[in-house]
Amino acid sequence: MVRRLLPRLAATTVTAAVLGTAAFTAPAVASALPAVPPRAPDLSDIRGLPQRNVLPVWPDNPADASIPIGVTPYDDIAPKLNALQAGSDRVSARVAGRSAGGHDLYAVTVTAPETRAEARQQELWKRRIEEEPARAQRDAALLAGYKTPLFVNANIHGNEWEGTDAALRVIEDLATDTSAETARLLKRNRLVFNITSNPDGRVAGTRANAAGYDLNRDLTIVSQPETNLIRELIIDTKPIITLDLHGYVSPTLLHPSTPPHNVNNEYDLYIKHGLPNALAIEAGLRDLGYAETQQARIPFRDDEPGVWDDFPPIYVPSFAMLQSSIPYTIEAPLNPRGSTLTPAERVRRSGINTDVHEVAIRTSLRYIQEHRAEVLHDQAEVYRRGWAGEPLRDLPDGYVPGWGPEDDYRTTFPRAYVIPNGAGQRSEPAAARLVDLLIGSGGRVWRAKKAFTANGRSYPAGSYVVDLHQPKRGLVNSLLEPGADITERVDDLYAGPAAWSQGLTWGATVDTLWDRLPKVPLERTYDGRAEGDVPGGRGDLRLDLRDAADLLAVNSLLGRGVAVHRLADGSVVVPGTPANRALARAEVRAHGVRFERAPAGWRGTRLDQVVVGYLGTVEERDTLADLGFAARALTAATLSTTLTDDVDVLLVANSVNLADLSPENRAALDAFLARGGGVVGLGTAGAGFSNAAGLLTVTATAGPSLASGVANVVNRGGPVSTSAAPHSFISQPVWFTDLSPGVTVEQSYAADPLLSGWWVTDGPGGQSAAASQASIVRGTAAGGNPVVLFGTDPTFRLHPKGLQSQLGRALLWTARR
């Protein structure tokens, strides 16, 4: 581990160091800022403020988990906001979405009233900061009149309640305070609040939402409606500072974070503000006077590298930083949960936590005001550097007190990416999904109007081009680049993954252009499109299963009674009758899949509809739904009632001790295996089940729990791995050795297993032990049970979309009769 080399200094010293004019000199830039074609913006939907909406009131719920700790129950939030809107011209509240469990999500804006013309001017200035940042930095009217935004995201973990109450308190105070100071404040700022970003968990007292997901791991997967709203609010608000209000870490924890830092950030423009404002929040906490708030924990200052990092962009703050915001996680100090606390102690703790979050909000707002010129300039500077294609800055040691070589995480930006269209694209639906993610996350994508050649490769018209000379290049590149191997730099991470790369793990072909943008007319696109195809004629149709969309089409056809046949390579064939062709065209319209002509003389196995019983989590549940399989949740205690005769395949992702099964549940499992039921196992849990049930015998070795990222793999062919990409996703990788006779290796780790992420090099769980060992195996047990075991992780947080088709192929193969 590399320890901090420089001493930590006081807040006043930090402020002088990072905001002084001589703190850092930018390198000369060779490329000029490209001109932005003038275009009249569409402001037709911009209205003045306030925009009052009567929020629906929810029924009283005495079981709301907020009540015992003395914070605001969910059903009281809408009435409070309705009353504040009715009594003030500074508050605009709306239902901005609905949670996975059906609760209303409330977005609130607090600012001085604006006419429609004033609101439109604010919108023009906000867009100019991103579209024409150099002009914005010189625009005297913008610098004087733009309302700087602050975004507060509260209660993303449902059982960390008090951020909501702090937000409501601040809103009420700003709405009702008649002082000249507050009036001036609201004329110069907009405050945007996501009041409770996880109402499901707030009511139930759970960290996760009703669908079972930790929302603060989902910002670049966006699988949940709550996360989609957070993303939209950050992009639309363009906040100078973002606060994500949490609990409970004692003493109060607040960013900046330890390294590793995301390699795509303009970290100099963040840390120069992020550290002094953190120190100011710490001072404000001391001023509260509580014994529990006399010090704070600032990981950048106080922790070793890797303890509390901001590396993956999956969290609200790390995603917001890539949007050119100064973000914070604020972890309030006192846990009010637990049956050992008295009611009075719970209320006391939640009250202190609410005060802590209020200090963070008010201090951050004050920081924006005191450093208005600097923070506006630097927000625009992130975008200006992106448009100009400038390199990331090499920061000198001591750039802020405590900054050292352990903080130097930088990438080199390519000139562009190409996501091919047509024959050069591995999967059109995967490409469209990836493009939608880039655009929905604030990136920009273009399509080529004509065919072109780049790096000696030909691309058809319609191919997507991602020009990295764009304002949010760091966000775009963070999603598309392979990532970095950080194994030798840190020996700890707060949480994984240590690499993610939607460009490699979401199933699309993505090519990197390092030197120049293709010379072809480009047209900006605002969505990804997969057109698919059904070839003409009367012949049979083949579908190669490369994406979840292909599995959806197969399962849809099976559900319609179509005769679908699985070939030896895992692809499927549909007889080309007129009726089948009509249904295939419907699947093309629905899913963008591409059928091709079936090979002459094909031979295959007739498939039936597949019912999958799973011993797993919500990740397995929802991955199966994404693939279109009928799925049934099983537990070791319910096998006798859930593992019924219609279940074709057992998906094992959770460990189960067969010796602990009741006689009834063991009998149900034995009956399933006796009728030849197939098994797909994930990780050590799946392999352990296979061994214990006497199916395939293997030795499964797991790497360290911290090991995660993008792996290099070698596909050996067969029904599971044919057409798979040469990269996979791992979260605690598993490999298989000592294979019983008849077990076939479908995929293995490459001789150099880790492309990007973290995985210790040597030792029994290291890369050297896994090199060239099996990562996916299959075989048929003595009793006729088809079995596939995965050492990679195709279901991790619904992230590795490119691996879902491998799981789908395995389910179809193991469902054979």
Side-chain angles (χ1 to χ4, degrees), residues 95-117:
V95 174
R98 284 182 174 77
S99 69
H103 289 100
D104 291 334
L105 301 170
Y106 306 118
V108 178
T109 300
V110 182
T111 192
E114 299 171 12
T115 66
R116 187 178 185 187

Side-chain angles (χ1 to χ4, degrees), residues 381-401:
E381 181 67 6
V382 172
Y383 302 139
R384 189 199 67 78
R385 293 178 185 178
W387 281 117
E390 295 180 9
L392 292 170
R393 303 309 197 239
D394 181 5
L395 305 188
D397 292 350
Y399 173 68
V400 298

Side-chain angles (χ1 to χ4, degrees), residues 691-813:
N691 287 336
L695 301 175
L696 305 187
T697 302
V698 301
T699 297
T701 304
S705 60
L706 182 63
S708 60
V710 182
N712 296 310
V713 295
V714 178
N715 295 302
R716 309 291 185 180
V720 179
S721 67
T722 297
S723 300
H727 305 103
S728 194
F729 180 83
I730 51 173
S731 178
Q732 192 169 29
V734 172
W735 54 99
F736 306 113
T737 56
D738 304 322
L739 309 179
S740 57
V743 176
T744 299
V745 176
E746 281 251 358
Q747 183 191 83
S748 61
Y749 294 106
D752 52 341
L754 186 68
L755 175 65
S756 58
W758 189 97
W759 187 357
V760 65
T761 304
D762 297 316
Q767 296 182 53
S768 59
S772 303
Q773 301 295 344
S775 54
I776 301 176
V777 298
R778 65 175 168 87
T780 302
N785 308 91
V787 180
V788 176
L789 302 178
F790 283 82
T792 56
D793 198 336
T795 65
F796 178 85
R797 296 181 190 156
L798 306 186
H799 165 61
K801 311 294 188 186
L803 277 65
Q804 290 180 333
S805 61
Q806 297 172 33
L807 179 60
R809 284 169 168 259
L811 293 167
L812 292 181
W813 185 78

Side-chain angles (χ1 to χ4, degrees), residues 2 4 13 20 136 185 214 259 303 489 542 674 693 729 754 768 770 799 810:
V2 180
R4 293 277 176 193
T13 307
L185 186 76
D214 183 334
D303 291 338
R489 296 205 61 181
R542 176 180 179 267
F729 180 83
L754 186 68
S768 59
H799 165 61

